[in-house]
Amino acid sequence: MGLFKKKRINEAGKPDFSRLPRHVAIILDGNGRWAKKRGLPRKAGHAVGAETFRTMATYCRDIGIEYLTVYAFSTENWKRPQQEVDAIMKLLEDFLREAVRDLEKNRVRIRILGDLEPLSPELKRMIARTEEESSVYPDAQVNICVNYGGRAEILHAAECFYREHPGHEGSLSEEDLNAYLYTAGMPEPDLLIRPGGECRLSNFLMWQTAYSELYFTDTLWPDFTTDDMDRALVAFQSRDRRFGGVKA
C-alpha cells in the first residue's frame, strides 16, 4: 500500500487489518428515509450522507483498503424531484472542490464513473480537473458512480469495443469487455455493502460483482459508522470464498 500502512488491532469486534479486501463497493441508501424520520427535507439526508461518505472514505484509506466505489446517483435517479437532483449535484460539486483543495493532505485518487454527458459543463470541468490532479496518488482510490447504471455500462462497453474494432469476427470475450468498462484496470469488488435495509443490487456493478461478497444492514447510510464498516469487514472475513471451486 505504500504510504498507508495497514493497522493491526486485536480488539473484540475488529477485523483482521492484515486481511482486508482490496476493493469495497457501497450503495449509499437511506438518505431520504433518514430525513423523513426526522421531519426534514430529503436534501438534508443527502447532506448528512455526504459527510458519512467523507468519513468512510477517510477510514478506508487509513486502514489500507485500496479501492472504494460508491453508488451516488443512478441513471434512474433523474426521476426524482428537481430540487433533490440539484441538491445532490451541488453536494458532488462541493466535494470535488474540497477534494482538489485537500489533495496534498488526503493523497487519494478520485474517479467519477458513469455517463457524464447530462451533467452541467461546470461539473464536468470540475470532474476533469479532480481526476487529472488526483491521478498522481495511486495508493488509495475513491470511485463515485454518477448517472451510472450497470446494464448501461455493459452496453456502453460493448458498443465501444465494436466501434474500435469494426472488423472483429467471432465472439466477444470477457477480457475484451473488461477493457471498456468504467472500472477497466481495477480489481473487482471483493465486498459490496448495502445499508438501508434493502437486499438487492439496484443495477450497480452488475458485471463486476459476479463473485463479490454481499453484506446488507438495516442501518441507514447517514447513520453508518466506522463500527458498521468493521462489522461488514468481519463478516467478509468469515466467508469462505471459493469462486466456483471446492474447498481444498
Side-chain angles (χ1 to χ4, degrees):
M1 276 302 295
L3 180 66
F4 304 109
K5 303 299 183 181
K6 294 179 180 179
K7 299 179 180 178
R8 299 172 184 265
I9 304 176
N10 297 317
E11 299 177 23
K14 290 288 185 180
D16 180 348
F17 289 99
S18 68
R19 296 191 303 113
L20 291 171
R22 289 186 68 195
H23 189 171
V24 173
I26 308 177
I27 298 174
L28 310 185
D29 193 23
N31 292 338
R33 281 172 287 156
W34 183 93
K36 184 177 180 181
K37 285 172 61 176
R38 291 159 176 79
L40 300 171
R42 289 177 61 86
K43 65 179 183 179
H46 292 301
V48 178
E51 289 304 317
T52 301
F53 161 66
R54 288 177 173 86
T55 299
M56 290 306 112
T58 299
Y59 185 63
C60 287
R61 178 205 66 183
D62 288 347
I63 65 176
I65 292 173
E66 297 175 54
Y67 295 86
L68 173 66
T69 300
V70 300
Y71 202 9
F73 191 87
S74 76
T75 50
E76 292 79 24
N77 287 157
W78 296 105
K79 302 172 186 176
R80 296 186 176 189
Q82 190 61 47
Q83 185 180 30
E84 182 177 351
V85 171
D86 291 344
I88 293 171
M89 294 301 164
K90 179 63 165 57
L91 287 168
L92 175 59
E93 187 174 333
D94 290 344
F95 170 78
L96 294 175
R97 292 185 189 281
E98 175 188 298
V100 168
R101 183 195 67 201
D102 296 337
L103 274 177
E104 184 59 31
K105 179 179 72 174
N106 293 328
R107 305 180 73 83
V108 170
R109 184 179 185 184
I110 297 169
R111 294 278 310 280
I112 308 300
L113 310 183
D115 177 10
L116 307 185
E117 186 57 34
L119 305 185
S120 71
E122 175 60 24
L123 186 50
K124 285 189 280 190
R125 283 192 292 270
M126 281 300 305
I127 289 170
R129 179 185 175 189
T130 305
E131 291 188 335
E132 179 181 1
E133 295 189 17
S134 69
S135 64
V136 298
Y137 301 109
D139 288 316
Q141 180 167 322
V142 171
N143 305 309
I144 305 174
C145 293
V146 177
N147 194 33
Y148 174 90
R151 291 177 177 176
E153 179 187 23
I154 295 169
L155 289 173
H156 175 265
E159 290 168 356
C160 287
F161 174 83
Y162 282 110
R163 189 180 306 121
E164 294 190 13
H165 302 82
H168 179 78
E169 297 181 0
S171 60
L172 183 66
S173 71
E174 290 189 15
E175 291 74 18
D176 290 334
L177 192 67
N178 274 326
Y180 289 89
L181 294 172
Y182 297 130
T183 54
M186 305 177 203
E188 294 181 346
D190 303 290
L191 170 65
L192 183 143
I193 301 169
R194 179 160 190 166
E198 306 292 353
C199 298
R200 56 177 176 269
L201 293 180
S202 294
N203 201 19
F204 183 46
L205 300 177
M206 302 294 290
W207 178 274
Q208 297 90 335
T209 56
Y211 281 99
S212 300
E213 296 298 323
L214 307 182
Y215 179 85
F216 302 102
T217 174
D218 290 334
T219 302
L220 301 176
W221 176 245
D223 291 327
F224 198 86
T225 67
T226 56
D227 287 339
D228 292 299
M229 178 62 78
D230 285 345
R231 281 189 280 272
L233 294 173
V234 168
F236 168 80
Q237 291 174 349
S238 72
R239 309 279 177 88
D240 181 14
R241 306 188 75 202
R242 297 187 299 275
F243 299 96
V246 294
K247 195 170 184 178

